[in-house]
Amino acid sequence: METVQAQPRHGDAVSMRGVVARIVFRNDDTGSSILRVTPEGETEVVTTCGPSLAEIGEQVTVTGVWKRHPKYGFQIQAQSIVTERPATPEAIERYLASGILPGVGETLAKRIVAAFGPATLDIMDNEIERLLEVHGIGEQKFDGISTAWGEQKAAQTIMLFLADQGITHAMAVRIYKRYGAAAIDLIRKNPYRLAADVRGIGFATADAIAAKLGVPHDSPKRITAGLLHLSDVAAKHGHCGMTVAGAIHDATELLSLPAELISPCVDAELQAEDPALIADTLPDRINGGTVDCLFVKRLYQSESFSATRLPELARRPGPWPEANEEQVRALVEQSASTSGMTLEPEQAQAVVNALSRRVSILTGGPGTGKTSTLKVILAALDARKLEVILGAPTGKAARRMQEATGHEAFTVAKLIGMGRPDHPPIKCDVLIIDEASMVDVPMLQAILKQLDDNASLVLVGDVDQLRSIGPGQALADLIASNTLPVVRLSRIFRQAAESAIIRNAHRINRGLGLEPPVPEGTTTDFYFLRSSTPEDVLSKITQLVTERIPVGLGLPSNQIQVISPRRGTPTGVDSINALLQQAVNPDPVAFVRYGNTRFGVGDRVLQTVNNYDLDVMNGESGIITAYDSEARTLTVKIDDREVEYPQSELDQIDLAYAMTVHKSQGSQFPAVVIPMVTQHYMMLTRAILYTAVTRASRLCIVVGQPAALEMAIRNVRAEPRLTRLRALLESIRTPATASPFDAVFDHDEVPAVA
């Protein structure tokens, strides 16, 4: 590794020792900093960017690489900035005057160093009361200085301790910011808490730290941490819990320990004063009987709350309780006429449910009239002068709902207060949630908690789409429980049936093959391009995104979405993102590298977790519009607003030229391209293909192997999710499943419209 160069070159490694002359920027939450450092023996400062708690006057050793910024010139992108204590009187003066001690400026710092010389910091460490000898320091000022100095010492001690455990400097800063002065004690007592408390630290890292600290391999603390890690993994795969047998089996593999050591730890965790896991039994719907399960406590509570709250709401009258059958029939007919709609009996019943039921569900595939029905529901509720609020799980879904209905729509996150407990309730007469298949168990609980006691709830969504990214399968469980009023639309309307996208989506959902290809020279909105090898698939996708679709449809490449069933294959999301980034945006005006990914101005990116502070939800996507290397922030335009990401939070976004089918839920794209190859066999299911196809509004192109396509259409069974909501609702069996208006319109009747 080279030292500071007279003429640095972009990408060269560098190691530098110097003194911090100025702090240009610091993120107090993460420690991400921009420092001006004066190298030893030089006078010109060097800009250094990286995580650090170093203060002005402190000696630092910087390791990293040279980066050439188009505006600010060469600077060091630091991999680590290790702090040393200032040694010379001049450096000590700058350090003490930097603002780290309350009430100590340049004048007082000079007096302190004049009194104690090079021994100043040792005296402050061991005989700090001697500061009272310095003119200008009284009892009150001394107390402030003493407290602040103690905090500085603690930070340095903690950073050294964490470095000894093999923790990177960036992660050490994050840990210190999380735990403060108590970090060492907390980590020594239970190093496994790091995996739960600190983003970016997983079980494997915490386990390695525990081993360094002497935690035995068969420690109950380690076994319990392993079980909790497995429950987190299960939740990330959509489960609310694990079978007991499965948990013990997986724990033996994860921890390399026999089952007889793990079972007692399961029992101990269940009997703990505040257990993280809760035991319960579920009906085994495949083999019969019951199965013993372990549930994540927060998810167990979420499902329990929803299973109690929903029947409680369903027993109450709907938003128009005083109506009779004739009034309801008349209003539905009037609202259909006003909206210019001709309703099928099932659609009319959905409108009746919204008027007469406290909780109701509307489901159906593309082209079956969910949006038309929703418009009539809104017209009927408006005619009754009832206050309605519309919501959807993502910003894109809320915007689509607003465009389709003409009513303002909000994200669920906004409605529930972005996770803040003091948020006021959702006050309205009727709350309508669209794209309800995306609602996970915690989100359903939050909606029901925030919903005003006098409000009704209507859930709208396609139950045949993929289940929520988060744990649970709320919509599917509610429908399968057969305890709430549900209308399922099945007829494809004539106008929708003109779309090959919609026709093929329904054929896929029924387990049929695609329609025969159209004759050559005929225009359609759905194509299947045969391709025998992954290389050919990638070549065709690149041509489609960069040339054929932009020329043929006049669509820019940023409106063409590649949706792949998997991430880590040659035709998966990661490979396609790298390929299309190079093809579409090879030389951005500004960029930053985070890990192995380049994020440049013009790149399409995707949010991968909920971030309530930035008001960005998992699955939302946008385009990078700016990168500020001084402030170390990346600006992303998401819908009609700009979001500034601190560089420390770039692990929350990913490139979005391609995305997984799960991440595409709730979104609609003008053009969708879907690679379909047998390498994706683990994710080739009917629901995956159906969901991907239904994301397209103007054009859908499947590229790949006929065998892979057939495999997906035939594979109707997705992995069953372990949830309790359906079983809980079935056990309660609310008596409010019947209504005097359930047969206002017979199946052979259709309301008259103008």
Side-chain angles (χ1 to χ4, degrees):
M1 184 176 290
E2 301 179 19
T3 56
V4 180
Q5 299 161 285
Q7 293 184 333
R9 294 175 302 183
H10 183 83
D12 279 358
V14 60
S15 177
M16 176 185 74
R17 195 163 182 263
V19 175
V20 178
R22 181 184 167 207
I23 300 171
V24 178
F25 166 83
R26 173 162 292 155
N27 182 316
D28 289 333
D29 291 329
T30 65
S32 181
S33 304
I34 300 175
L35 309 176
R36 302 276 198 249
V37 179
T38 306
E40 283 185 335
E42 299 184 26
T43 57
E44 293 291 326
V45 297
V46 174
T47 300
T48 302
C49 307
S52 176
L53 298 178
E55 300 290 350
I56 293 173
E58 286 191 300
Q59 190 94 29
V60 292
T61 299
V62 179
T63 57
V65 293
W66 285 110
K67 295 289 183 183
R68 182 182 178 86
H69 187 277
K71 181 177 179 181
Y72 302 109
F74 278 101
Q75 46 191 233
I76 298 175
Q77 187 68 50
Q79 295 160 347
S80 71
I81 303 174
V82 179
T83 306
E84 304 171 28
R85 304 185 79 178
T88 66
E90 295 78 15
I92 294 171
E93 273 186 28
R94 286 197 301 272
Y95 178 48
L96 296 181
S98 66
I100 62 167
L101 301 176
V104 177
E106 290 184 14
T107 302
L108 190 52
K110 285 182 180 294
R111 288 184 196 153
I112 293 171
V113 175
F116 305 118
T120 296
L121 300 185
D122 288 334
I123 288 173
M124 292 180 68
D125 282 343
N126 303 306
E127 303 175 80
I128 195 167
E129 65 279 355
R130 290 189 60 188
L131 289 179
L132 291 167
E133 300 172 12
V134 178
H135 175 67
I137 299 180
E139 290 287 349
Q140 185 173 352
K141 182 169 287 190
F142 171 78
D143 288 342
I145 293 172
S146 178
T147 300
W149 187 251
E151 292 172 352
Q152 286 291 316
K153 283 176 59 181
Q156 292 174 357
T157 303
I158 290 165
M159 297 299 283
L160 289 172
F161 167 79
L162 293 172
D164 287 342
Q165 311 314 314
I167 297 294
T168 65
H169 194 75
M171 195 59 68
V173 171
R174 192 175 289 175
I175 292 169
Y176 174 71
K177 291 294 183 181
R178 175 67 177 82
Y179 296 138
I184 294 176
D185 286 342
L186 291 174
I187 294 169
R188 284 192 183 281
K189 286 178 183 175
N190 183 10
Y192 293 102
R193 68 180 298 156
L194 288 166
D197 293 346
V198 182
R199 180 169 53 86
I201 293 187
F203 175 79
T205 301
D207 198 32
I209 294 171
K212 281 194 170 188
L213 293 175
V215 177
H217 191 64
D218 59 355
S219 164
K221 190 179 296 183
R222 178 174 183 263
I223 296 171
T224 301
L227 288 166
L228 297 182
H229 167 69
L230 289 171
S231 72
D232 287 340
V233 171
K236 287 174 183 174
H237 284 85
H239 303 288
C240 294
M242 313 169 282
T243 65
V244 173
I248 292 174
H249 173 271
D250 291 348
T252 61
E253 292 191 350
L254 174 71
L255 304 171
S256 300
L257 292 172
E260 52 266 27
L261 289 179
I262 293 167
S263 293
C265 290
V266 172
D267 295 335
E269 176 61 27
L270 295 175
Q271 295 165 18
E273 184 176 340
D274 184 22
L277 299 175
I278 295 177
D280 204 346
T281 58
L282 284 182
D284 187 337
R285 301 185 189 276
I286 298 175
N287 304 309
T290 60
V291 59
D292 294 328
C293 301
L294 298 173
F295 289 93
V296 180
K297 181 179 179 180
R298 62 183 176 84
L299 301 178
Y300 184 94
Q301 292 172 336
S302 290
E303 291 194 293
S304 298
F305 178 88
S306 296
T308 302
R309 178 73 167 149
L310 281 166
E312 175 188 282
L313 288 174
R315 283 189 285 268
R316 301 178 187 177
W320 192 14
E322 71 277 11
N324 58 40
E325 181 177 328
E326 185 178 345
Q327 289 173 312
V328 171
R329 178 190 289 267
L331 181 57
V332 174
E333 292 178 349
Q334 174 194 333
S335 301
S337 177
T338 301
S339 304
M341 306 291 177
T342 300
L343 297 183
E344 290 290 306
E346 292 86 356
Q347 293 177 293
Q349 188 59 56
V351 184
V352 170
N353 287 349
L355 288 166
S356 63
R357 296 303 203 96
R358 184 58 69 93
V359 181
S360 64
I361 297 172
L362 172 62
T363 187
T368 58
K370 291 195 304 296
T371 300
S372 299
T373 307
L374 184 54
K375 288 179 179 178
V376 179
I377 288 173
L378 290 169
L381 296 173
D382 285 347
R384 290 294 308 156
K385 300 191 184 312
L386 295 169
E387 183 181 356
V388 184
I389 292 179
L390 306 185
T394 67
K396 279 187 167 57
R399 191 173 73 251
R400 283 176 54 210
M401 191 183 193
Q402 184 167 315
E403 290 169 353
T405 64
H407 281 63
E408 185 177 14
F410 305 89
T411 63
V412 171
K414 282 191 179 297
L415 294 176
I416 63 177
M418 307 297 289
R420 297 182 180 90
D422 57 347
H423 190 73
I426 304 170
K427 281 192 166 294
C428 60
D429 295 304
V430 182
L431 172 66
I432 301 176
I433 301 295
D434 197 13
E435 295 288 355
S437 62
M438 298 180 66
V439 173
D440 60 24
V441 162
M443 186 181 289
L444 179 63
Q445 179 194 25
I447 291 169
L448 293 172
K449 271 190 171 181
Q450 291 298 124
L451 190 62
D452 185 76
D453 284 343
N454 296 315
S456 296
L457 175 65
V458 180
L459 299 175
V460 182
D462 183 351
V463 73
D464 293 322
Q465 284 188 23
L466 283 176
R467 296 161 295 187
S468 56
I469 295 175
Q473 48 188 20
L475 183 65
D477 279 350
L478 295 182
I479 293 174
S481 73
N482 208 23
T483 58
L484 297 168
V486 177
V487 169
R488 179 159 193 157
L489 306 178
S490 56
R491 177 176 179 249
I492 305 175
F493 283 83
R494 180 171 54 81
Q495 185 176 356
E498 294 174 0
S499 165
I501 294 173
I502 289 177
R503 294 196 305 271
N504 278 308
H506 284 276
R507 289 179 65 87
I508 290 166
N509 205 28
R510 294 199 302 270
L512 305 175
L514 300 180
E515 291 182 332
V518 297
E520 191 171 342
T522 305
T523 301
T524 182
D525 60 3
F526 187 100
Y527 296 91
F528 175 62
L529 301 185
R530 291 171 178 262
S531 188
S532 58
T533 66
E535 294 76 18
D536 189 46
V537 169
L538 293 175
S539 175
K540 281 184 168 66
I541 288 174
T542 304
Q543 290 174 13
L544 287 167
V545 173
T546 60
E547 300 172 23
R548 293 177 62 181
I549 297 177
V551 172
L553 255 95
L555 283 174
S557 59
N558 62 15
Q559 293 187 36
I560 305 166
Q561 185 61 57
V562 179
I563 301 177
S564 178
R566 295 194 66 184
R567 290 193 66 93
T569 68
T571 54
V573 167
D574 297 334
S575 297
I576 296 173
N577 267 327
L579 184 71
L580 291 182
Q581 183 188 52
Q582 186 59 35
V584 174
N585 190 28
D587 191 23
V589 295
F591 67 89
V592 60
R593 290 196 178 275
Y594 193 91
N596 295 322
T597 305
R598 185 208 79 188
F599 294 110
V601 172
D603 279 333
R604 297 170 61 190
V605 291
L606 175 77
Q607 179 74 15
T608 59
V609 297
N610 289 340
N611 188 321
Y612 293 112
D613 294 328
L614 294 179
D615 189 12
V616 188
M617 298 297 105
N618 187 357
E620 293 196 82
S621 59
I623 296 177
I624 298 173
T625 58
Y627 173 63
D628 187 333
S629 63
E630 283 286 317
R632 293 176 62 109
T633 57
L634 195 72
T635 303
V636 179
K637 187 173 184 180
I638 298 176
D639 298 331
D640 56 354
R641 63 196 177 94
E642 292 196 325
V643 179
E644 282 198 354
Y645 285 84
Q647 191 164 319
S648 58
E649 296 191 3
L650 295 188
D651 59 344
Q652 297 186 9
I653 62 173
D654 201 354
L655 293 175
Y657 297 96
M659 64 177 67
T660 63
V661 183
H662 284 87
K663 292 294 186 184
S664 73
Q665 284 180 271
S667 297
Q668 200 85 32
F669 308 97
V672 166
V673 179
I674 307 167
M676 189 66 46
V677 296
T678 52
Q679 287 180 331
H680 296 161
Y681 69 94
M682 291 182 64
M683 298 296 288
L684 293 181
T685 68
R686 187 179 298 176
I688 287 273
L689 180 58
Y690 173 76
T691 303
V693 167
T694 54
R695 299 308 90 205
S697 61
R698 291 177 58 187
L699 177 67
C700 180
I701 301 178
V702 179
V703 184
Q705 302 159 331
L709 187 66
E710 184 179 350
M711 190 184 300
I713 293 173
R714 285 185 175 182
N715 185 9
V716 67
R717 291 189 61 84
E719 180 191 6
R721 288 191 174 184
L722 194 65
T723 68
R724 296 169 59 246
L725 184 56
R726 175 182 174 181
L728 288 173
L729 287 168
E730 289 174 337
S731 69
I732 294 170
R733 287 289 177 189
T734 173
T737 55
S739 163
F741 308 120
D742 278 357
V744 167
F745 296 101
D746 295 331
H747 285 279
D748 58 355
E749 282 190 89
V750 178
V753 296

